[in-house]
């Protein structure tokens, strides 16, 4: 529970201090646990495509069917992967991040309004 002594004057909030709270740190950890591995995966996939194009043009020119070659399919795969990762992140954010961020937003609003707030820790 927030104590009246912890409520800042004039509705000002020490955001740097708030960022150090366990609830905020858990939210940040959840977000990073998705973003960093997915970024590493996508960058590896992207640079593999670029490097194959630069150093293995014969491989990229391998015909798959008709005028379609492997390089074209891998290039289209870049677009498909981008959209898939975006949709996956939106679903992740909606289900895992948004409930916690809404709770933090309510807490900040209550602090800003000088209200006492009962803090309930979620697992």
């Amino acid at each position: 529970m927030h104590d009246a002594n912890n409520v800042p004057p004039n509705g000002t909030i020490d955001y740097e201090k708030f960022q150090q709270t366990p609830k905020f740190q858990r939210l940040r950890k959840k977000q990073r646990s998705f973003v960093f591995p997915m970024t590493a995966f996508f960058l590896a996939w992207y640079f593999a495509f670029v490097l194959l194009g630069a150093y293995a043009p014969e491989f990229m020119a391998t015909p798959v069917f008709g005028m379609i070659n492997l390089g074209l399919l891998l290039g289209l795969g870049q677009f498909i992967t981008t959209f898939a990762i975006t949709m996956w992140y939106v679903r992740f954010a909606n289900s895992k991040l948004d409930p916690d961020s809404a709770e933090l937003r309510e807490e900040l609003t209550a602090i800003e309004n000088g209200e006492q707030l009962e803090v309930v820790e979620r697992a």
Side-chain angles (χ1 to χ4, degrees), residues 29-47 77-78 80-93 97:
K29 185 177 179 181
K30 273 187 207 179
Q31 191 257 351
R32 288 179 172 185
S33 72
F34 182 93
V35 170
F36 288 153
M38 194 56 61
T39 300
F41 161 75
F42 186 78
L43 286 175
W45 160 227
Y46 173 75
F47 285 119
Q78 291 284 319
I80 292 168
T81 306
T82 300
F83 289 117
I85 290 171
T86 301
M87 290 186 303
W88 191 6
Y89 180 76
V90 167
R91 191 170 327 144
F92 172 79
L97 301 178

Side-chain angles (χ1 to χ4, degrees), residues 52-103:
L52 283 171
Y55 295 106
E58 308 84 28
F59 174 74
M60 296 295 269
T62 304
V64 176
F65 55 90
M67 299 289 293
I68 307 298
N69 62 27
L70 194 55
L72 181 61
L73 291 179
L74 291 176
L76 292 172
Q78 291 284 319
F79 287 101
I80 292 168
T81 306
T82 300
F83 289 117
I85 290 171
T86 301
M87 290 186 303
W88 191 6
Y89 180 76
V90 167
R91 191 170 327 144
F92 172 79
N94 287 340
S95 65
K96 305 287 187 199
L97 301 178
D98 288 355
D100 292 343
S101 62
E103 188 177 312

Side-chain angles (χ1 to χ4, degrees), residues 1-2 18 20-27 30 100 103-104 107 117-123:
M1 183 156 181
H2 282 280
F18 191 81
Q20 303 307 316
T21 63
K23 286 167 82 173
F24 187 90
Q25 291 299 315
R26 278 194 304 274
L27 176 63
K30 273 187 207 179
D100 292 343
E103 188 177 312
L104 289 171
E107 189 173 331
L117 182 67
E118 185 175 331
V119 178
V120 178
E121 290 288 325
R122 291 185 339 178

Side-chain angles (χ1 to χ4, degrees), residues 6-9 11-21 108 111-112:
N6 291 338
V7 176
T12 59
I13 298 173
D14 184 351
Y15 289 103
E16 289 179 3
K17 185 176 178 183
F18 191 81
Q19 288 178 352
Q20 303 307 316
T21 63
L108 285 170
I111 292 169
E112 191 173 54

